[in-house]
Amino acid sequence: MSGRDVMRGMFVNQLLAWVACAAALLAGSNADAAAARDAVRTEIDGIDVVILKTEVHDVVTLVGSLRAGDDRSPTDNVALATVTGSMLDKGTTKQDKFAIARALGNVGAGLSFGVSASTVDIRGRCLRKDLPLVVSLLAEQLREPAFTEPELAKVKKQLEGAIRSQLDDPDFRAEDAFSRAIFPPGHPNRQPTPEKFMADSAKTTVAEVRQFHSSYYGPTGMRLVIVGDVDPAAAQAEIRKAFAGWRGGSAPAPSARAPALSKERGETVFIADKPSVSVIMGQPSELRYADADALPLRLGTRILGSGGFTSRLMSSVRDKEGLTYGISAAMANDTFTDGEWSLQAAFAPELLDKGLASTRRELEAWRNEGVTEEELKRAKSELAGLYQVGLATTGGMAGTILLMLNRGMPLSFVDDYPKKIAEISRAQVNDAIKRRIDPGRMVLVKAGTVAGGQPTARYAWRRRGPVRGRARSRVRR
């Protein structure tokens, strides 16, 4: 046994011990609060509101969503939802953005908005005494945004700069191309080209923003989750007062699922002078999170590549062969619609072919031979422990409740998740892998300084600076 094998074994044992201890040490934290038992759920003027009081002292987290994400943008202006959401915190008809920022800053509170593929996302944090202020400002910004010409001009420039800065990023370019390779036109997860997004953003008018807001913003399809040192009755009263009389909003019609790919194909995005090539290999999952095969396949995917240093891909392609610093597998973007299954890695250009061959070998073995009982036991323990740890903060609990409800799961699933994971059998996992994953019908996208490639003129833009956040959205937010 090599020194690397010994170190890896020590790491695995330490990780499992940490997970077990962390789960045990959560007594007295938010994990003691059972969502189904303790949360108060009600509809307030069309808004689905969940409030959970926990033992944490004086801190409250608020999260929410409404169905006004990028999938509501019209085809002739794919940037409209993002532009509209980006202007929510730029002032209201009652006060400018600086006054709002001062009001929040004076009490150490925070309130922010983001736009994703299917939702406008809300996140706030404050002390118990300041929850009425945060709820009031949230309602004001959602209901009465100013939408002024000067602020629109600033948002356009910011979005253009953010997009341009990402065009030199191999990870972004690979993920961007991958979405169009596996999802058909009209699918909510299919991203427009960066050129299309920037052109549509640049032409957006205040009138269009106001019309979009009028059409898609409202209580219908909106959720709010409040967790922490909160009085449910008092919080409900504040929400009722702040949102009284608000109308509008809607849930989009269900989209058709992306079909399985007919054959294996590849795409190369050349970017000059990059030290590594970003690679994505994958397919449409044809699954929503709530579907029966989703959890077994997620569990199997963790064993292949989502479990950090304990996963097969990291153990083989990185640790044993030294071909990459990072490689992973995941299922994603399946909350409101069917999502994707993918492998992601980065290889030095001279190791690309060898790295891909090693990755394919591990993928084929996983698909054909399945997972072992030992691997499944370890993955279940890791997932259950990490999940419980995630519920130990007000933000983690609130975010999990919102996510599970948006995924179409009952509130009880927040409590039952570890049990549901424990009940999954090896046969279920291996059956889902066999039926759902087909290496012979995947897309392979390579982005970076790929041998034999040529730069594309339309992307020959100068990098302007870093953009923080995640990929798989029009702009990393």
Side-chain angles (χ1 to χ4, degrees):
M1 178 179 291
S2 68
R4 176 178 288 173
D5 290 333
V6 171
M7 291 299 293
R8 180 174 178 274
M10 292 173 60
F11 174 85
V12 171
N13 291 335
Q14 289 169 356
L15 174 62
L16 292 175
W18 177 84
V19 167
C21 290
L25 290 172
L26 289 174
S29 71
N30 289 337
D32 280 342
R37 181 194 67 208
D38 301 328
V40 178
R41 187 178 188 183
T42 187
E43 183 179 296
I44 299 178
D45 290 330
I47 304 172
D48 182 16
V49 178
V50 180
I51 302 173
L52 177 63
K53 179 175 176 56
T54 68
E55 296 303 313
V56 69
H57 178 65
D58 213 25
V59 175
V60 179
T61 294
L62 178 152
V63 298
S65 65
L66 57 92
R67 299 302 301 275
D70 287 325
D71 59 355
R72 309 309 290 269
S73 293
T75 56
D76 61 352
N77 189 345
V78 299
L80 189 52
T82 292
V83 172
T84 303
S86 298
M87 294 190 69
L88 293 175
D89 61 357
K90 302 299 187 278
T92 70
T93 57
K94 295 180 177 179
Q95 54 188 328
D96 63 27
K97 63 183 181 182
F98 302 108
I100 294 172
R102 281 195 298 271
L104 292 168
N106 286 342
V107 296
L111 182 60
S112 61
F113 304 93
V115 182
S116 57
S118 298
T119 56
V120 171
D121 304 311
I122 302 158
R123 187 168 187 85
R125 188 171 173 86
C126 63
L127 297 179
R128 174 189 172 100
K129 67 180 180 62
D130 300 314
L131 183 60
L133 170 68
V134 171
V135 169
S136 174
L137 289 176
L138 169 63
E140 183 179 324
Q141 290 179 96
L142 287 175
R143 299 181 67 174
E144 303 174 86
F147 293 144
T148 65
E149 290 283 1
E151 291 297 339
L152 176 59
K154 293 175 187 176
V155 164
K156 289 179 181 181
K157 288 184 178 179
Q158 291 165 355
L159 289 175
E160 180 186 2
I163 289 289
R164 289 184 183 273
S165 74
Q166 293 177 102
L167 293 173
D168 200 39
D169 181 346
D171 287 345
F172 170 79
R173 295 289 299 282
E175 293 182 6
D176 178 66
F178 181 71
S179 79
R180 289 188 296 278
I182 66 170
F183 293 115
H187 193 283
N189 285 330
R190 181 184 172 95
Q191 302 216 55
T193 64
E195 304 101 313
K196 169 70 171 168
F197 183 90
M198 287 189 294
D200 286 359
S201 174
K203 72 177 186 181
T204 299
T205 66
V206 165
E208 287 179 299
V209 170
R210 288 176 175 161
Q211 181 57 52
F212 184 89
H213 179 269
S214 176
S215 298
Y216 297 114
Y217 280 68
T220 301
M222 180 176 171
R223 283 197 172 98
L224 282 179
V225 178
I226 302 176
V227 174
D229 190 1
V230 56
D231 178 340
Q236 288 174 348
E238 293 297 335
I239 294 169
R240 192 170 285 110
K241 178 173 68 174
F243 288 95
W246 196 30
R247 298 291 181 267
S250 65
S255 60
R257 300 200 181 205
L261 303 176
S262 59
K263 61 181 180 180
E264 186 177 13
R265 65 178 187 268
E267 183 172 337
T268 297
V269 181
F270 186 88
I271 311 173
D273 303 322
K274 292 297 170 184
S276 64
V277 178
S278 293
V279 169
I280 300 182
M281 182 190 307
Q283 63 177 67
S285 70
E286 302 180 78
L287 292 171
R288 280 192 57 187
Y289 186 91
D291 292 339
D293 278 344
L295 278 182
L297 186 55
R298 262 183 160 77
L299 197 50
T301 301
R302 179 175 183 82
I303 292 167
L304 175 66
S306 303
F309 284 94
T310 64
S311 71
R312 289 190 186 183
L313 289 172
M314 283 291 279
S315 174
S316 179
V317 183
R318 182 192 187 277
D319 284 1
K320 293 180 182 177
E321 300 177 66
L323 298 175
T324 179
Y325 282 110
I327 185 168
S328 63
M331 296 175 67
N333 301 305
D334 55 5
T335 295
F336 293 102
T337 186
D338 55 303
E340 68 204 50
W341 186 97
S342 66
L343 301 172
Q344 298 193 37
F347 300 106
E350 65 274 14
L351 296 176
L352 178 60
D353 290 342
K354 187 179 291 187
L356 286 174
S358 178
T359 301
R360 285 192 174 100
R361 182 195 67 235
E362 292 300 320
L363 172 60
E364 292 280 359
W366 173 77
R367 197 261 182 183
N368 294 334
E369 301 167 14
V371 304
T372 67
E373 286 288 359
E374 182 181 352
E375 288 175 320
L376 184 58
K377 181 180 178 181
R378 183 178 66 233
K380 288 179 178 181
S381 176
E382 292 170 358
L383 276 179
L386 292 171
Y387 181 81
Q388 292 290 343
V389 170
L391 299 182
T393 66
T394 58
M397 177 67 85
T400 299
I401 291 173
L402 178 65
L403 180 61
M404 292 306 184
L405 294 180
N406 281 345
R407 284 170 163 174
M409 310 306 290
L411 187 58
S412 59
F413 187 81
V414 175
D415 305 321
D416 294 342
Y417 176 84
K419 179 182 177 182
K420 296 294 185 184
I421 289 294
E423 291 173 348
I424 296 172
S425 69
R426 180 185 173 216
Q428 286 177 289
V429 171
N430 289 339
D431 178 63
I433 293 170
K434 277 272 191 183
R435 287 187 295 104
R436 296 291 183 175
I437 303 302
D438 187 350
R441 293 192 295 176
M442 289 187 177
V443 168
L444 172 63
V445 178
K446 297 176 282 188
T449 309
V450 184
Q454 293 295 325
T456 307
R458 64 181 180 177
Y459 288 125
W461 294 315
R462 179 170 59 89
R463 184 177 180 88
R464 296 187 177 182
V467 179
R468 304 166 76 184
R470 61 180 178 84
R472 290 316 318 267
S473 59
R474 309 309 188 242
V475 178
R476 295 186 190 176
R477 284 179 285 269

